[in-house]
Structures are given as C-alpha cells and as structure tokens.
Amino acid sequence: MNNTETTPFVTEASLLKRVQVFLEDGEFDRADEYCERVLDMNVENGEAYLYKLLASLRLTKKQELSDLNEPFDSEASYAKIMRYGNAQLKKELADINASILAKKEEAEKNASFERALQLSQNESIASLSEAYRIFITLSDFESANERSEECKAKIEQLYDESYNRLFMLAKEKEQAINDLKYQNSTDLAEREDYDRYIKENQGKKLFDYSLLVAICVCITCIVLAAVNVRNFFLATELSLKTAALCFFTRILPAFPITWVSTVLSFVISKKIVKKQKKNLLEDISTAADRAREIAGKVGRAESEALMLQKELDGVLEALRKLNEEYDVFLSLKEKQ
C-alpha cells in the first residue's frame, strides 16, 4: 500500500473522492475498503455508509437506487445511514426505498390480479375459490370487488350443478347395483332348484314294470282260459259236436293268445320305460345346461356389480372432494 495514503494530508473528503472513482469503475470491493478507512477516521460519516450501501448493491451512483426492484432497507449500511446520515440524505433514501416498495407491491398486486383472472376462467371450485380469495385480498384494487362477487356466484352455481349431477349419478349406480343383486338372488334360487332336481334324479332308477305287466296279462289270459275250461266241464249236457266246438274255439286259442298278449305287453312296456329313462336323462341334461347358464350369468352380473361399485366409490369420492372444496369457499366467505 502506498505510504502517502496514510499521511496526515489524507482526509475523509479525499478518500470519499477515491470511493466515487472506484464505484464508477465498478471496483466495488476497493470502494468498500476505502469506505472502511473513512469510517476508521469518523465512524459517524453518513456519506461513507451511503457508498458502502452502493458497493454492496453493486451500484455506481446513488441515482441507480431508484432502478432497483427490491427495497434495500434490510441492508446493514441503510440502518447506519438512518442513524448517522443528515436529514436530507435520510429522507431521500427513505423516499426511494418507499417508492421501490410501492412499485413492488403494485407489481405483486397486478400479478395476483392477473393470476386471479386466469383462475376465474376455470370451471373448478378449487380454482374459483383461490381466485375469490385473491380478489377479496386485493379489496379495492381495480375491479377486485366486482370480480369476487362474480366468482362467488359462479362457485355457488357450479356447486349446485355438480352436486346434483353427482348425487343423481350415485343414485343411479346404487340402483343398478341393487337391481343386479336382486336379479342374482333370483337366479341363484333358480339355480338351486335345478341343482336339487339334478341331485334328486341323477342317480334315480326307474322301476321296470314291463315284466310285471306281462305277468299280469298272462295271468289274465290264464284266468279267462280257466273259466272257459270250467264252463266246458260243467256243460255235461252238451252234445259232442258242441263240446268239440267249445274246445277248439275257446280253450285251444287261449294259449297262443296268452303268449302273444304277454310278449306284446312286455315289448310295449319296455319301450315305454326306455322312453321315460331317455326323457329323464334329457331333463337332467337340460337342467345342468340351464344351471351352467345361470352360473355364467351370475358371474357376469357380479363382475358388473363390482365395476359399478368402483364407479360408485369414484362418484362418492368426487362428492367428498366437491364438499371439501366448497367448505374452503364457505370459510373464505365467512371471513370476508
């Protein structure tokens, strides 16, 4: 360091001149260093604190303070200026800082107002509530009050429409689910009937009455033949010719008639029993097919009911969210 800078001829004014040159040249660290030298000589030098403020903000002159976007009253040097600076300097910096703060607040209000305008164009209660909150916060800024009333009316209308739509949709889903459950209960009852019928008849054996019928026919024919024989033996007073005629026309034909009748009744009875068995098997097969068809129908209905339940849960969740968003709006409305 040059020794002449520490001689008694160096004054606060000369050092401050050097500071100005450093600031104009953008040598902010050197400017701050020389400010400290001035303060070593006079700790209450308000102008030195001004230059320290400019150096910390990387400004070359005081007039550039007005171009700042952020207030500088939080700077340590500003507090020292307010303490040691002259009245004119303090007022000037305070006015500049207030102007910056006012511009910042105005810019923030404009930005908030524009954001609220964008939000108010949405068909969402959450967005409209946020726009409403911003408008009532801005109060008399531009048309904020009128905009807040518009948002309020739009929110209430949107809530009523959305609530009614979701409520009716939930009712429809519930009714559809109940209808499916009722239909399923009916189908399941029908399926149980088919299953019971199959269970009762699948191992059932039909009584084969063909032999019994044949025996009954045979006995009948024998009885009739016996009656004829009896009548024959009782007819003792009949002539030989009449007796012979009775034997050949009544007794002798009874034997083949009995045999033929027995065979025919047996065959016919067998066919009837066979047809009954076939009909029973067809009925069982039809019942099984119907039971499987109902099982598939019930399965599809259960899947549909599950899907409807998920849709209903989604609608109820939307209703819950809608009410939560509307409650936020109501709380804002109460605070207004």
Side-chain angles (χ1 to χ4, degrees):
M1 187 178 293
N2 196 326
N3 290 334
T4 58
E5 293 178 349
T6 60
T7 61
F9 299 102
V10 177
T11 63
E12 295 177 36
S14 63
L15 290 174
L16 290 175
K17 284 288 185 183
R18 293 290 302 278
V19 171
Q20 289 179 355
V21 174
F22 287 138
L23 289 174
E24 290 173 359
D25 293 340
E27 298 183 36
F28 301 113
D29 292 336
R30 293 280 286 167
D32 186 76
E33 178 187 341
Y34 270 71
C35 286
E36 289 296 331
R37 293 178 62 180
V38 172
L39 293 174
D40 286 341
M41 300 170 65
N42 179 12
V43 74
E44 296 182 358
N45 191 309
E47 192 174 0
Y49 287 116
L50 170 63
Y51 292 146
K52 277 183 68 67
L53 175 65
L54 295 176
S56 65
L57 296 174
R58 295 306 192 249
L59 301 177
T60 60
K61 51 188 175 182
K62 180 175 61 176
Q63 289 76 8
E64 293 178 357
L65 287 169
S66 301
D67 299 329
L68 293 174
N69 294 321
E70 296 291 333
F72 48 83
D73 52 355
S74 60
E75 296 286 337
S77 299
Y78 178 82
K80 292 294 194 302
I81 295 171
M82 293 297 105
R83 182 175 180 182
Y84 299 117
N86 57 50
Q88 180 181 354
L89 179 60
K90 290 192 288 185
K91 183 178 183 307
E92 185 178 6
L93 291 186
D95 290 344
I96 293 174
N97 189 74
S99 175
I100 294 172
L101 186 59
K103 286 190 297 183
K104 181 181 178 181
E105 290 177 351
E106 184 73 13
E108 289 176 350
K109 286 182 177 180
N110 279 319
S112 296
F113 188 80
E114 289 299 323
R115 180 170 178 268
L117 283 177
Q118 292 179 356
L119 290 171
S120 66
Q121 303 303 314
N122 296 333
E123 295 295 326
S124 163
I125 290 180
S127 298
L128 288 168
S129 296
E130 178 63 14
Y132 177 77
R133 183 193 67 79
I134 295 173
F135 283 136
I136 62 177
T137 302
L138 293 175
S139 187
D140 294 331
F141 182 79
E142 293 189 7
S143 58
N145 286 332
E146 292 82 358
R147 297 286 185 177
S148 66
E149 291 299 318
E150 291 176 3
C151 284
K152 181 167 68 174
K154 193 172 181 180
I155 288 171
E156 292 173 347
Q157 179 183 358
L158 183 60
Y159 174 76
D160 291 339
E161 293 175 353
S162 299
Y163 183 87
N164 291 333
R165 177 177 57 80
L166 290 172
F167 181 80
M168 292 304 298
L169 186 58
K171 283 294 183 183
E172 290 176 4
K173 299 295 182 184
E174 287 179 350
Q175 185 61 47
I177 292 172
N178 291 333
D179 289 344
L180 283 173
K181 288 181 178 179
Y182 175 78
Q183 185 61 45
N184 274 1
S185 63
T186 304
D187 291 337
L188 288 172
E190 183 181 357
R191 182 187 174 187
E192 288 178 1
D193 291 339
Y194 283 119
D195 289 339
R196 184 166 52 254
Y197 176 82
I198 294 170
K199 186 177 180 181
E200 291 175 353
N201 293 279
Q202 196 166 23
K204 185 178 180 181
K205 293 184 178 180
L206 293 178
F207 178 71
D208 191 348
Y209 58 87
S210 56
L211 183 61
L212 179 62
V213 170
I215 292 173
C216 290
V217 171
C218 182
I219 291 173
T220 301
C221 292
I222 292 172
V223 169
L224 290 174
V227 171
N228 286 326
V229 171
R230 177 177 175 276
N231 291 335
F232 173 76
F233 284 109
L234 289 176
T236 55
E237 296 180 357
L238 294 175
S239 63
L240 181 61
K241 182 179 179 180
T242 303
L245 181 64
C246 181
F247 175 81
F248 284 105
T249 59
R250 293 188 179 185
I251 298 174
L252 190 60
F255 294 101
I257 291 173
T258 300
W259 181 80
V260 172
S261 299
T262 302
V263 171
L264 286 175
S265 62
F266 179 80
V267 171
I268 294 171
S269 300
K270 270 291 186 183
K271 287 183 177 180
I272 292 174
V273 171
K274 186 177 180 180
K275 185 175 182 181
Q276 288 177 337
K277 289 182 178 179
K278 180 180 179 183
N279 291 340
L280 180 61
L281 290 175
E282 288 177 352
D283 291 342
I284 292 173
S285 177
T286 301
D289 291 341
R290 181 58 181 160
R292 284 192 294 271
E293 181 182 341
I294 292 175
K297 181 181 177 182
V298 170
R300 291 190 297 272
E302 288 176 349
S303 298
E304 185 178 354
L306 184 61
M307 181 182 67
L308 286 172
Q309 185 61 51
K310 290 181 179 179
E311 292 176 358
L312 176 60
D313 292 342
V315 173
L316 295 177
E317 176 64 20
L319 267 174
R320 184 192 64 78
K321 185 178 179 181
L322 177 69
N323 287 326
E324 285 183 353
E325 292 176 351
Y326 190 67
D327 287 342
V328 171
F329 163 71
L330 290 179
S331 64
L332 292 172
K333 187 177 176 182
E334 290 175 358
K335 293 177 182 178
Q336 187 179 7

